[in-house]
């Protein structure tokens, strides 16, 4: 059937020019798109009956008009939008609106007025009266405002520029005055007013023959149900009467040609589309069209197909805003606008288009170092702060390049062209341009940026950074990239591009009522006003969609229609076009056209996938260490981790899965503890003996040091003040306990003392002691500051050997005393173990040697931590403690 339309057109052309054969160059054929040239040429050659045939010129009307040269230069849309934006901004008509989007909307309205030869009244008041009559409303401020905006912009734009719509109309007028040979036109929907007038003028000079797909479809018996359901007056159609007519004609049944699939959600719709496409490919189909109505579903379908190693030829293309070449550009500008927030910078460093003049490994390593730096040091924004915190040469060089690239961008308002020039310089510093040069999308984007820069050379609109960034973002959203290098039997396209085309199979994707037909006209003016002005009504746009759909269904013998029957838990209606078709088919044949076989295939696939993906029954992990993985050193905290849960130690300190902590963007208790340690280290270093100094002086000194240590945090986060006040409230208690210790004979000796003690030949104990005190006999006492309550610390030390920190410190220093110092709840108190510390230290060391010997011998490390150890363990998801604990009798599983 799909060739019948071309054969019919070919026959008429050949009959009209039988005397000219084999030369048909004496006529011209206007095509809806260039995809129709090949089937029409084949039909002409097949019906001509001559060995060789000289084909007529075949082209689209837009391309034909473009061959006419105009004396007046044509302003581009970028120039006109900039003019509209400047006008809107200067007049301050829309204070808080997105003026770039509004300018784009108004540009469409201006072009529509021009395209349909609308003449507005000379005065704004007369235009306002016209709007009042059309709206059937009283004159008010809103109508007067609408009339003022449209009227002034219309006359301003008409006086200042030669736009593309006027240029197209002028070209068509010149073509019509020059045409001297017969014209044949293939189309499927209503032509625009200028194009209709063009054909009328051509008809005055030469013979003009049109082949309207809508008229030809009516004569095809097997399309009876489609034409009945999709005809213009479908709403007034008595479906029961139409069904009775169709019921007597079995050839009108669509079950073998059109099927509908109702998906439960986006994922199932995408999965169904991917499965059906692969089924068609296995059947040997060479051309499969995926007509996209829902771009979100299309992205998922494409990902599924590419995972199945099925390449996709995308005729619609993807906007530059969704491509990686666009995201690196906007990511850079977004980072600058957000004071180089760490996540923006990290995303930027991960882009393959950054530093394209260096080895990819260098950029990747810099990204790793940056991630590690911000996690460990808590610096979350600011290039200068990042550079100051950087310790690696590779990372510093990368951050300095970012700062240099930021420096070339203007700090004040400049024109769009100047912004684009500066952007190119900035991207050059970033090494993005060499990377784009090796990428097809990058090459096209670079060309577009240069084109916009040239087009806007004469524009004087000065924009701030935010205004220019919004303009650029809109430009990337409006321009698309099409990868012409991919050749595939699977083609993604849009409905209008299917005019007069046939495929082995067609999948209409996302055909719910929201996407098909598409939304109507501009937000400016309702249909009543449009009718008065002579603009096309919203129904005309819906008719064009219906006509394209009718042509697609008529030309193709196998069509699957998918949509999501439910979205966000709510029912989602099928497109009214297909709802009408389904209802008619149910009445006529008792068949709702549901793709049940596809649903069965998906259900079976789901069962198999579920069975394949299901992990084996979970059990407690008990890994054994390979000899090469055994750590050569351990810290007291690592030792504590081993005692709490061997598997936790394995994950944290053997696999090193805790190397990168979460980035802390807000101040928490860990920061507080760090600052208090710094305060006490400075204070005790400056005032080693308090008993001989004035108490008020000591209090002032500790207050001053506290403010200085907290100063940097206070400059970046006002919440630090609360932590400072919390600590300052404890200063009197700290001075009390320090004086008590001095009265007992203890003197401050050192703070933050590092140690590295050999435990065995292949194992060292490493760490840092918060504080060491000495007495007159030379005995040492090790202290560890804790921002925890006395009760919590006593619980830590309740069972001998459960917490190893103090025992490790005592062993390292051969100390006779050890204690935690609680700095919490307004109380400062030393908490010491109940057992003798030297005995604990020795037993602690023996256990450490024994455990490492066992690990060296292959003893497993089970995930047998108690509930308190598991409650806040970041490795719990790794050991899956919750999934096997109850099975193995674990009390907290």
């Amino acid at each position: 059937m799909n060739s019948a339309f071309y054969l019919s057109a070919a026959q008429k052309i050949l009959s009209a020019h039988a005397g000219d054969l084999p030369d048909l160059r004496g006529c011209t054929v206007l095509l809806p798109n260039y995809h129709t040239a090949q089937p029409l040429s084949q039909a002409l050659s097949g019906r001509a009956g001559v060995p060789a045939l000289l084909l007529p010129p075949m082209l689209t009307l837009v391309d034909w008009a473009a061959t006419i040269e105009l004396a007046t230069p044509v302003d581009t849309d970028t120039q006109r939008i900039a003019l509209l934006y400047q006008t809107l901004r200067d007049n301050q008509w829309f204070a808080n609106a997105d003026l770039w989007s509004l300018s784009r909307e108004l540009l469409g309205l201006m072009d529509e007025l021009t395209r349909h030869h609308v003449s507005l009244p000379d005065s704004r008041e007369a235009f306002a009266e016209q709007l009042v009559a059309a709206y059937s409303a009283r004159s008010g401020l809103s109508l007067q405002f609408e009339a003022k905006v449209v009227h002034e912009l219309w006359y301003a734009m008409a006086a200042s520029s030669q736009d593309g719509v006027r240029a197209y109309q002028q070209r068509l007028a010149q073509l019509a005055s020059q045409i001297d040979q017969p014209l044949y036109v293939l189309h499927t929907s209503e032509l625009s007013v200028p194009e209709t007038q063009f054909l009328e003028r051509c008809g005055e000079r030469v013979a003009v023959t049109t082949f309207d797909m809508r008229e030809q479809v009516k004569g095809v018996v097997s399309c009876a149900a489609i034409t009945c359901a999709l005809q213009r007056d479908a709403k007034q159609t008595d479906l029961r009467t139409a069904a009775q007519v169709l019921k007597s004609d079995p050839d009108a049944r669509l079950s073998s040609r059109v099927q509908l699939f109702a998906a439960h959600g986006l994922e199932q719709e995408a999965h169904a589309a991917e499965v059906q496409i692969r089924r068609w490919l296995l059947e040997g189909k060479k051309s499969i069209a995926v007509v996209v109505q829902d771009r979100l579903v299309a992205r998922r379908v494409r990902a599924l197909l590419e995972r199945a190693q099925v390449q996709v030829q995308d005729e619609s293309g993807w906007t530059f805003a969704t491509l990686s070449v666009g995201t690196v550009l906007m990511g850079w500008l977004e980072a600058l606008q957000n004071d180089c927030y760490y996540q923006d910078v990290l995303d930027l460093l991960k882009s393959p288009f950054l530093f394209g003049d260096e080895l990819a490994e260098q950029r990747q390593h810099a990204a790793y170092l940056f991630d590690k730096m911000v996690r460990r040091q808590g610096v979350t924004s600011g290039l200068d702060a990042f550079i100051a915190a950087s310790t690696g040469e590779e990372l510093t060089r990368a951050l300095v390049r970012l700062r240099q690239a930021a420096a070339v961008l203007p700090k004040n308002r400049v024109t769009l062209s100047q912004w684009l020039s500066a952007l190119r310089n900035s991207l050059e510093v970033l090494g993005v341009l060499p990377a784009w040069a090796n990428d097809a999308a990058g090459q096209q984007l670079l060309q577009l940026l240069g084109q916009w820069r040239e087009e806007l050379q004469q524009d004087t609109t000065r924009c701030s950074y935010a205004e220019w960034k919004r303009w650029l973002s809109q430009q990337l959203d409006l321009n698309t990239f099409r990868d012409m290098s991919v050749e595939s039997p699977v083609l993604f396209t849009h409905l209008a591009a299917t005019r007069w085309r046939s495929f082995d199979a067609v999948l209409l994707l996302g055909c719910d009522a929201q996407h098909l037909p598409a939304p109507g006209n501009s937000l400016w003016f309702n249909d009543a006003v449009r009718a008065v002005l002579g603009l096309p009504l919203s129904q005309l746009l819906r008719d064009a969609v219906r006509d394209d759909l009718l042509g697609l269904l008529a030309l193709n013998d196998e069509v699957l229609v998918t949509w999501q029957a439910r979205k966000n838990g709510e029912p989602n209606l099928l497109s009214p076009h297909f709802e009408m078709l389904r209802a008619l088919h149910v009445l006529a044949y008792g068949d709702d056209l549901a793709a049940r076989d596809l649903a069965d295939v998906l259900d079976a696939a789901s069962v198999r996938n579920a069975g394949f993906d299901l992990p084996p029954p979970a059990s407690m992990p008990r890994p054994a260490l390979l000899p090469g993985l055994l750590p050569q050193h351990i810290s007291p905290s690592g030792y504590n981790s081993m005692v709490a849960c061997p598997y936790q130690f394995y994950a944290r300190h053997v696999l090193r899965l805790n190397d990168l902590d979460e980035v802390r963007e807000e101040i928490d208790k860990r920061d507080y503890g760090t600052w208090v340690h710094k305060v006490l280290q400075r204070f005790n270093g400056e005032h080693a003996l308090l008993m001989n100094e004035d108490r008020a002086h000591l209090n002032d000194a500790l207050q001053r040091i506290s403010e200085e240590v907290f100063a940097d945090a206070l400059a970046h986060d006002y919440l630090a003040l609360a932590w400072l006040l919390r600590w300052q409230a404890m200063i009197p208690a700290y001075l009390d306990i320090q004086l008590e210790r001095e009265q007992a004979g203890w003197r401050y000796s050192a703070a933050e003392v590092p140690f590295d003690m050999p435990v065995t030949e292949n194992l060292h104990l490493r760490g840092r002691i918060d504080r060491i005190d000495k007495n007159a006999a030379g005995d040492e006492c090790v202290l560890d500051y804790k921002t925890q309550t006395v009760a919590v610390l006593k619980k830590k030390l309740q069972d001998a050997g459960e917490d190893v920190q103090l025992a490790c410190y005592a062993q390292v220093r051969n100390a006779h005393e050890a204690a935690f110092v609680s700095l919490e709840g307004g109380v400062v108190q030393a908490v010491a173990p109940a057992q003798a510390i030297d005995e604990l230290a020795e037993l602690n060391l023996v256990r450490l040697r024994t455990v490492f010997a066992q690990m060296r011998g292959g003893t497993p490390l089970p995930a047998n931590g108690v509930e308190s150890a598991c409650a806040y363990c970041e490795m719990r998801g790794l050991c899956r403690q919750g999934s096997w604990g109850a099975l193995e009798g674990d009390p907290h599983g």
Side-chain angles (χ1 to χ4, degrees):
M1 180 212 305
N2 47 23
S3 62
F5 300 102
Y6 290 103
L7 291 174
S8 174
Q11 188 59 54
K12 288 186 179 180
I13 294 173
L14 291 170
S15 298
H17 298 274
D20 299 329
L21 292 178
D23 190 353
L24 293 179
R25 292 175 298 175
C27 65
T28 301
V29 180
L30 291 180
L31 307 172
N33 53 64
Y34 286 108
H35 300 286
T36 58
Q38 182 178 0
L40 181 59
S41 300
Q42 291 173 343
L44 288 169
S45 299
R47 286 296 180 95
V50 294
L53 183 68
L54 295 176
L55 294 169
M58 299 182 188
L59 71 171
T60 63
L61 184 54
V62 172
D63 284 351
W64 196 16
T67 62
I68 301 297
E69 295 289 340
L70 296 179
T72 306
V74 179
D75 287 347
T76 64
D77 283 353
T78 54
Q79 294 169 308
R80 298 171 65 214
I81 286 178
L83 177 60
L84 278 170
Y85 180 85
Q86 188 172 21
T87 305
L88 291 174
R89 189 179 64 183
D90 291 347
N91 285 281
Q92 298 182 348
W93 285 329
F94 303 93
N96 299 315
D98 178 0
L99 295 186
W100 287 119
S101 295
L102 187 58
S103 299
R104 171 67 58 177
E105 184 75 27
L106 284 166
L107 182 68
L109 176 63
M110 300 297 114
D111 286 345
E112 207 175 6
L113 292 170
T114 303
R115 187 177 297 113
H116 295 91
H117 302 290
V118 174
S119 296
L120 298 186
D122 292 335
S123 70
R124 186 211 315 163
E125 291 74 15
F127 183 43
E129 291 176 5
Q130 194 176 28
L131 292 183
V132 168
Y135 277 121
S136 299
R138 291 184 178 181
S139 178
L141 292 177
S142 60
L143 282 179
Q144 293 175 10
F145 177 71
E146 185 174 15
K148 174 183 178 180
V149 171
V150 174
H151 192 271
E152 291 191 17
L153 290 177
W154 164 252
Y155 277 100
M157 296 296 288
S160 64
S161 64
Q162 163 76 309
D163 58 72
V165 176
R166 285 195 184 91
Y168 182 55
Q169 293 174 349
Q170 292 174 15
R171 290 185 171 111
L172 289 181
Q174 289 191 37
L175 271 180
S177 66
Q178 298 172 6
I179 193 167
D180 57 1
Q181 58 186 31
L183 189 62
Y184 297 91
V185 184
L186 278 65
H187 70 95
T188 59
S189 57
E190 296 292 337
L191 298 173
S192 67
V193 172
E195 292 169 344
T196 301
Q197 293 177 349
F198 165 75
L199 293 181
E200 291 173 353
R201 291 170 185 160
C202 289
E204 298 171 359
R205 296 173 58 89
V206 298
V208 177
T209 306
T210 61
F211 301 102
D212 192 332
M213 176 66 72
R214 296 166 297 179
E215 297 300 322
Q216 300 211 23
V217 166
K218 291 179 181 178
V220 180
V221 175
S222 60
C223 292
I226 298 174
T227 55
C228 181
L230 302 186
Q231 60 186 311
R232 292 176 186 276
D233 57 349
K235 290 184 179 179
Q236 287 74 41
T237 299
D238 184 347
L239 287 183
R240 296 188 181 276
T241 303
Q244 288 300 320
V245 175
L246 291 175
K247 195 171 185 179
S248 62
D249 183 4
D251 290 338
R253 193 178 183 115
L254 294 175
S255 304
S256 62
R257 298 186 58 237
V258 179
Q259 289 192 315
L260 310 176
F261 180 80
H264 300 314
L266 184 149
E267 192 63 32
Q268 190 188 38
E269 183 180 11
H271 184 42
E274 178 251 347
V275 168
Q276 184 58 63
I277 289 169
R278 289 197 289 117
R279 292 173 74 191
W280 282 334
L281 290 172
L282 291 173
E283 292 170 8
K285 298 190 185 301
K286 302 298 183 184
S287 61
I288 300 170
V290 181
V291 183
V292 176
Q293 305 299 322
D294 188 334
R295 295 295 291 178
L296 187 61
V297 181
R299 291 177 71 91
R300 182 59 180 148
V301 173
R302 181 167 184 169
L304 291 173
L305 288 171
E306 290 180 349
R307 188 176 68 180
Q309 298 185 341
V310 176
Q311 292 297 308
V312 171
Q313 183 179 346
D314 196 337
E315 201 169 74
S316 302
W318 298 95
T319 64
F320 281 100
T322 63
L323 299 177
S324 56
V325 294
T327 54
V328 68
L329 170 57
M330 295 310 297
W332 167 233
L333 300 181
E334 193 74 24
L336 293 179
Q337 192 171 34
N338 295 336
D339 190 28
C340 289
Y341 176 61
Y342 82 94
Q343 191 61 63
D344 294 334
V345 176
L346 182 59
D347 290 342
L348 195 64
L349 289 172
K350 290 179 179 179
S351 171
F353 294 102
L354 189 73
F355 305 149
D357 50 357
E358 297 182 0
L359 294 176
E361 291 79 4
Q362 293 177 311
R363 175 186 51 76
Q364 292 166 357
H365 188 57
Y368 167 75
L369 293 176
F370 179 78
D371 192 15
K372 191 174 181 179
M373 178 192 75
V374 296
R375 290 175 187 273
R376 288 186 170 176
Q377 301 195 30
V379 184
T380 58
S381 63
L383 279 177
D384 290 336
F386 291 145
I387 292 171
S390 174
T391 55
E393 181 182 347
E394 210 162 33
L395 175 58
T396 302
R397 185 172 65 251
L399 293 172
V400 167
R401 285 190 72 171
L402 293 181
R403 186 167 63 181
Q404 291 171 343
V408 303
L409 292 172
K411 303 299 183 290
N412 302 312
R413 288 178 171 280
V414 296
T415 65
L416 293 174
S417 181
Q418 290 171 328
W419 273 118
L420 289 168
S421 296
L423 175 64
R424 182 184 176 89
N425 295 335
S426 181
L427 295 177
E428 189 170 6
V429 174
L430 291 174
V432 171
L433 300 186
W436 278 1
N438 295 320
D439 182 86
Q443 293 170 10
Q444 189 171 328
L445 179 54
L446 189 57
Q447 182 180 357
L448 278 173
L449 292 173
Q451 175 186 318
W452 298 333
R453 186 174 64 250
E454 292 300 320
E455 290 174 353
L456 294 165
Q457 282 286 357
Q458 305 305 316
D459 180 66
T460 59
T461 307
R462 290 184 172 270
C463 297
S464 66
Y465 180 89
E467 288 175 300
W468 165 69
K469 178 174 167 288
R470 180 70 190 95
W471 172 85
L472 185 60
S473 176
Q474 184 183 79
Q475 291 295 107
L476 296 182
D477 272 326
L478 293 172
N479 288 269
T480 58
F481 167 73
R482 296 174 181 84
D483 190 353
M484 307 305 293
S485 64
V486 177
E487 292 186 9
S488 171
V490 182
L491 172 72
F492 276 36
T493 188
H494 55 279
L495 186 58
T498 64
R499 294 170 181 171
W500 281 82
R501 296 171 72 180
S502 59
F503 306 90
D504 292 343
V506 174
L507 193 152
L508 281 155
L509 193 68
C511 295
D512 56 19
Q514 180 183 356
H515 292 93
L516 186 69
N521 277 308
S522 162
L523 297 176
W524 295 85
F525 309 144
N526 62 18
D527 274 354
V529 178
R530 298 178 75 84
V532 170
L533 295 177
L535 293 173
L537 307 183
S538 56
Q539 182 60 44
L540 188 64
L541 295 178
R542 291 194 290 269
D543 288 345
V545 172
R546 182 211 58 232
D547 293 340
D548 289 337
L549 187 60
L550 179 61
L552 176 66
L553 296 176
L555 275 172
N556 294 276
D557 296 329
E558 188 165 359
V559 178
L560 174 67
V561 178
T562 69
W563 87 102
Q564 297 171 52
R566 297 188 72 82
K567 273 188 175 182
N568 301 321
E570 299 291 333
N572 187 43
L573 298 178
L574 176 62
S575 164
H577 295 311
F578 287 109
E579 190 61 68
M580 188 76 72
L581 186 63
R582 178 167 66 175
L584 181 61
H585 213 264
V586 168
L587 291 173
Y589 308 110
D591 184 357
D592 63 358
L593 300 175
R596 291 182 176 82
D597 64 327
L598 177 58
D600 294 340
V601 169
L602 290 182
D603 288 341
S606 297
V607 170
R608 286 197 298 273
N609 287 340
F612 179 79
D613 294 336
L614 189 64
S619 60
M620 179 189 290
R622 294 178 171 86
L625 292 188
L626 295 173
L629 292 179
L630 196 66
Q632 301 296 306
H633 58 83
I634 189 171
S635 66
S637 62
Y639 191 0
N640 258 336
S641 177
M642 180 191 297
V643 172
C645 175
Y647 186 85
Q648 183 189 87
F649 170 79
Y650 169 76
R652 284 182 178 176
H653 302 282
V654 176
L655 299 183
R656 302 178 66 82
L657 297 181
N658 70 327
D659 263 4
L660 297 179
D661 297 323
E662 291 297 319
V663 178
R664 291 179 283 123
E665 299 184 51
E666 296 180 354
I667 295 173
D668 61 16
K669 201 169 185 180
R670 285 175 291 180
D671 299 302
Y672 171 66
T674 300
W675 297 327
V676 169
H677 276 63
K678 289 181 179 179
V679 167
L680 294 180
Q681 182 183 6
R682 277 189 55 186
F683 176 74
N684 290 321
E686 294 176 13
H687 304 272
L689 187 63
L690 307 189
M691 62 173 58
N692 296 330
E693 296 191 47
D694 178 66
R695 175 66 180 255
H697 172 70
L698 292 172
N699 185 80
D700 292 343
L702 191 47
Q703 293 279 1
R704 173 183 54 79
I705 292 172
S706 300
E707 291 172 358
E708 290 175 357
V709 169
F710 278 77
D712 185 61
L714 289 168
H716 294 88
D717 193 333
Y718 68 93
L719 293 177
L721 179 59
W723 292 105
L724 173 60
L725 294 174
R726 179 176 179 172
W727 160 244
Q728 287 177 328
M730 299 184 63
I731 287 178
Y734 177 77
L735 293 175
D736 288 342
I737 193 173
Q738 181 62 18
L739 288 169
E740 288 176 12
R741 288 188 60 78
E742 291 182 2
Q743 291 294 335
W746 292 106
R747 300 290 184 267
Y748 169 81
S749 175
E752 298 297 323
V753 180
F755 62 85
D756 187 338
M757 184 187 80
V759 178
T760 66
E761 183 180 350
N762 300 313
L763 178 65
H764 282 238
L765 183 64
R766 294 179 182 173
R768 187 178 297 272
I769 300 172
D770 283 355
R771 173 174 163 179
I772 299 173
D773 283 0
K774 287 185 179 181
N775 61 18
D779 297 330
E780 290 189 349
C781 175
V782 290
L783 299 176
D784 192 75
Y785 299 126
K786 296 290 186 184
T787 54
Q788 295 173 313
T789 64
V790 172
V792 170
L793 295 177
K794 285 182 176 180
K795 189 175 181 180
K796 275 179 178 283
L797 300 176
Q798 183 176 356
D799 297 322
E802 284 300 311
D803 191 283
V804 304
Q805 195 169 9
L806 291 179
C808 286
Y809 294 161
Q811 180 68 40
V812 169
R813 300 297 301 188
N814 194 24
H816 294 286
E817 291 192 25
F820 291 130
V821 179
S822 173
L823 304 167
E824 184 65 18
V827 175
V828 179
Q829 181 177 330
V831 182
Q835 301 79 13
I837 192 64
D838 51 354
E839 182 180 345
L840 281 179
E842 185 59 35
L843 292 175
N844 189 59
L845 192 62
V846 170
R847 180 174 58 180
L848 182 60
R849 290 173 180 149
T850 302
V851 169
F852 264 75
Q854 291 172 341
M855 285 194 293
R856 191 174 293 107
T859 301
L861 300 175
N864 59 3
V866 296
E867 184 174 3
S868 58
C870 295
Y872 301 103
C873 178
E874 73 278 15
M875 302 302 165
R876 186 167 185 164
L878 187 63
C879 76
R880 298 184 180 181
Q881 191 275 337
S883 64
W884 51 260
L887 296 176
E888 300 200 357
D890 186 79
H892 60 279

